Amino acid sequence: MPGTFFLIGIQAEKFGSLTKRIYREGHEIGNHTFTHPDISSIGSSYMRVELNLTEQLFASQLGIRSTLFGRPTPWMRTDTEDE
């Protein structure tokens, strides 16, 4: 059953063979930025760089242009006490 994978560009580059396998097996690839920054704290120019770097990677490795975007969210704290 095909799925959708939102890939972080730097990880997709590091694990290129896995990235290619995901695509080759018929799964959808989405852009999850290049370095997974907290996008609430970066400017629009930096955001464009993050998205464009990932798109360029997908184009060069897979020959695709993804139209899907998965917004990175800040890491949630897991050390909070129950109320």
Side-chain angles (χ1 to χ4, degrees):
M1 173 178 284
T4 302
F5 290 80
F6 289 92
L7 302 180
I8 299 168
I10 200 165
Q11 295 296 322
E13 182 176 46
K14 182 177 180 180
F15 300 101
S17 60
L18 180 58
T19 300
K20 291 173 185 169
R21 178 180 169 193
I22 290 168
Y23 182 69
R24 186 177 62 245
E25 290 183 1
H27 302 288
E28 192 76 29
I29 304 284
N31 190 333
H32 198 50
T33 68
F34 198 77
T35 63
H36 202 275
D38 176 359
I39 64 173
S40 67
S41 66
I42 64 172
S44 60
S45 295
Y46 183 21
M47 184 64 187
R48 279 192 297 275
V49 168
E50 286 280 329
L51 295 173
N52 288 336
L53 283 172
T54 308
E55 285 302 319
Q56 289 172 15
L57 178 72
F58 291 165
S60 68
Q61 279 195 354
L62 308 172
I64 65 166
R65 182 173 187 274
S66 179
T67 58
L68 302 175
F69 171 64
R71 182 184 191 275
T73 56
W75 296 102
M76 295 176 59
R77 288 186 58 184
T78 58
D79 62 344
T80 57
E81 293 183 33
D82 290 338
E83 294 183 3

